[in-house]
Amino acid sequence: MIEVEHLHKSFQTRSGGLLRGQRRTVEAVRDVSFRVARGEVVGYLGPNGAGKSTTIKVLTGLLVPTSGRVEVGGLVPWRDRRRYVGRLGAVFGQRTTLWWDLPVRDSLDLLRDVYRVPPDRFRENLKAFTALLDLGPFLGTPARALSLGQRMRADLAAALLHDPDLLFLDEPTVGLDVVARERIRQFVAHVNAEREVTVLLTTHDLTDVERLARRVMIIDHGALLYDGNLPDLQARFGSARELVVDFEAPPADPRVPGLKLVSSEGPRVTYAFTGAAARPIALATAHAPVRDVTVREPDIEATIRRIYEGGLLGTVS
Amino acid sequence: MNAALLRWGLLGQAAGINARLYCAAARLSFRRQFAYPAATFWGLLTNLFFGALRVAVLLALFGLKPQVAGYTPADAVTYTGLTQAFLAAFSLFGWYDLMRTVHRGEIVTELLRPHSFLGFWMAQDAGRAAAQFLLRGVTILTLYALLWGLKLPEGAAGWGLTLLSAGLAWACGFAFRFLVNGAAFWSPDAVGIGRFAWALMGLACGFLMPLAFFPAWFQSLLAWTPFPSMMNSTVELWLGHVSGTQVLRVLGVQAAWTLVLLGLARLVLARGLRRLEVAGG
Ligand SMILES: Nc1ncnc2c1ncn2[C@@H]1O[C@H](COP(=O)(O)OP(=O)(O)OP(=O)(O)O)[C@@H](O)[C@H]1O
Ligand SMILES: [Mg+2]
């Protein structure tokens, strides 16, 4: 569905005055290549300024890349822009596509004509999305009076009313509360499952990715660092699992042969291990009388943080 | 109205144009003008105040002379009424909407839609202009008629041709405004270019003064520019200063400039979009 090969995009920026200003080139995207199959949901992660939005803008035909080949559903986004954009939906979390001072319903109705959606189909979709996203209470409200969560829901509906094959979401949950995020995730999962919509999603909220995407791509400083599924990422770069042991009494020597000691605080001692937990537990219980044990899984958030901070990954795997 | 829209719709469909959409966009844009009644009221009041001022100045200029440059005092009053009435509809004080959309990156939304960008903006501006003309223009003209008396076009043909000319003046002005706003694709401070352009337009389209009042050499210079087509032509038709086959010539010139400027606008837009660097996100 999406094919990207050796994509580069750089921006010229000018700092200082018009005459004496210095020209600087920012390489926002550097040699990025990937493919996305129909019906996939891909999470696109990276720290601020990594190049996520720039990639999405190229993929939606808004920016002409500096070099590289991009083909989506057989079309080159920026070259066939008008034909191409009819087949995709996009939500840029920071912006709205709704008419500022008109009721939401009018903005949505206009889309029927924009995309020439058959009236029956349009009515059906609007009804379904109104139910799924609970748009009913504010269809008559002008966009400027909506809360952020309401606006995002309306924008999401607006992006999908014409049955696109492709959905680009650039930070669709930014600034929303837990309940609103969950609702949006459920909706995206639903349209992906029911309508086979291919989804590319950027976010800083890893729960979005864990809930929606089997596959993640990580980009930093414009270069793709990782492309694969979440469990593999965890296995390769996650910190080790931890075994927390509460001994009956503070052990004389917390060290256990065969286990890596992480910390020791009175009766509570933490060990690190990889693989299955049975053997480490057996070793610890053999060491001294034990009251309780817990196994702590490394969280994905910590893994990703480590990748951003330490540049754990060289270039693309 | 609906029958006419339908007919245009069918014509458009035949030409592959999404006419339904442009009608809908114009309608929405028309409606949104009614969302701010207070703004309309104060705008109207300002229009009327300056209108009265201009009437006073022009009449003082006439003194006891029965005519200046072909304008009778009644013509002059009607002229100020018309300019005040067209002021909002033709955005004679300037128009930065497109520029703002580009600078703030809101243009994204529109580029994600499969319709003609220029066509959509034109439809929206048509709706806006029509609403402004109804809300402010017609009110001003009515008040002028009551306060000072107003010359009107003669007969159905006169009305028809004058209104056609007003439509062309709007279209020609729109194309010019769109072109000027296109500077935003190249420069982050295109507002300055805008200010200069609107000043030029105000002077050269006959908003500051009837073009007939200018020296002959300046008038013949302006005749080579599109600016008179953006308002002065319509005023002269309304006042009956142009007659017979000359009317068709004036309309033809207006239509020609409109097409030329729209063509240029398309070109600039295509260039601009290629080098667009969408901000934000
Ligand atoms: N129009 C532009 N002109 C100049 N530089 C730009 C432009 N757009 C983006 N950049 C630069 O390109 C780089 C990548 O920006 P991009 O918006 O793609 O990041 P991002 O991954 O979406 O970040 P965030 O998570 O903060 O949204 C940044 O260094 C940014 O400053
Ligand atoms: Mg971004």
Side-chain angles (χ1 to χ4, degrees), chain A:
Chain A
M1 191 87 197
I2 304 178
E3 291 173 31
V4 177
E5 278 170 21
H6 305 295
L7 177 67
H8 285 265
K9 174 72 196 178
S10 44
F11 293 104
Q12 303 283 339
T13 54
R14 229 195 247 120
S15 55
L18 193 64
L19 298 176
R20 289 193 304 134
Q22 286 198 323
R23 285 185 151 266
R24 217 163 49 86
T25 305
V26 180
E27 286 192 77
V29 174
R30 293 189 280 183
D31 198 21
V32 165
S33 305
F34 60 85
R35 278 160 183 265
V36 179
R38 174 180 293 278
E40 252 190 303
V41 182
V42 179
Y44 198 32
L45 301 177
N48 290 128
K52 304 182 296 294
S53 297
T54 305
T55 312
I56 299 242
K57 282 173 194 163
V58 171
L59 287 177
T60 47
L62 298 172
L63 287 182
V64 183
T66 311
S67 68
R69 195 183 76 88
V70 176
E71 216 175 282
V72 187
L75 295 176
V76 177
W78 59 93
R79 197 170 313 137
D80 313 300
R81 185 179 60 82
R82 278 179 63 188
R83 203 141 57 89
Y84 171 68
V85 293
R87 295 167 36 180
L88 64 86
V91 177
F92 290 86
Q94 326 271 12
R95 311 185 183 288
T96 181
T97 59
L98 307 167
W99 286 45
W100 195 238
D101 34 22
L102 289 177
V104 173
R105 189 196 312 276
D106 289 340
S107 292
L108 297 182
D109 278 343
L110 186 69
L111 295 173
R112 184 187 47 220
D113 295 325
V114 166
Y115 294 102
R116 306 189 205 217
V117 188
D120 289 343
R121 184 68 193 154
F122 186 83
R123 223 171 298 126
E124 236 170 74
N125 280 347
L126 186 58
K127 205 170 138 217
F129 295 162
T130 303
L132 283 166
L133 291 164
D134 194 20
L135 304 178
F138 53 87
L139 275 179
T141 312
R144 71 180 132 83
L146 296 182
S147 80
L148 185 60
Q150 291 172 331
R151 204 215 79 204
M152 208 73 94
R153 272 138 68 197
D155 265 316
L156 207 52
L160 286 158
L161 279 169
H162 58 290
D163 290 317
D165 309 324
L166 263 168
L167 180 61
F168 293 97
L169 300 173
D170 194 355
E171 303 194 33
T173 57
V174 66
L176 302 191
D177 69 39
V178 182
V179 181
R181 284 174 195 221
E182 193 49 36
R183 172 160 233 145
I184 289 197
R185 287 178 203 132
Q186 275 170 8
F187 180 73
V188 173
H190 175 86
V191 293
N192 171 251
E194 297 284 305
R195 297 167 183 242
E196 277 217 312
V197 180
T198 309
V199 183
L200 184 66
L201 155 98
T202 83
T203 179
H204 291 289
D205 181 350
L206 287 164
T207 323
D208 290 348
V209 176
E210 285 181 296
R211 286 285 319 275
L212 288 171
R214 243 158 271 125
R215 174 173 163 203
V216 290
M217 298 193 293
I218 300 180
I219 185 174
D220 195 6
H221 296 295
L224 206 56
L225 297 182
Y226 178 81
D227 181 354
N229 63 27
L230 268 180
D232 283 353
L233 180 76
Q234 195 66 291
R236 271 181 62 191
F237 307 104
S239 36
R241 304 172 79 186
E242 287 178 341
L243 183 69
V244 183
V245 183
D246 287 318
F247 290 105
E248 293 286 357
D253 182 3
R255 281 174 299 175
V256 175
L259 285 183
K260 186 168 167 252
L261 180 69
V262 176
S263 67
S264 157
E265 248 176 87
R268 170 167 293 191
V269 184
T270 307
Y271 304 97
F273 69 96
T274 49
R279 211 180 88 85
I281 292 175
L283 286 173
T285 39
H287 183 65
V290 164
R291 190 150 44 88
D292 197 7
V293 293
T294 30
V295 173
R296 222 191 267 148
E297 300 295 338
D299 66 342
I300 176 84
E301 193 121 11
T303 308
I304 304 257
R305 198 166 49 236
R306 272 160 37 110
I307 292 176
Y308 292 173
E309 281 168 1
L312 264 185
L313 303 159
T315 15
V316 169
S317 45

Side-chain angles (χ1 to χ4, degrees), chain B residues 224-238:
Chain B
W224 288 98
T225 71
F227 297 110
S229 294
M230 296 175 197
M231 196 184 74
N232 196 66
S233 307
T234 306
V235 172
E236 295 200 327
L237 251 63
W238 183 295

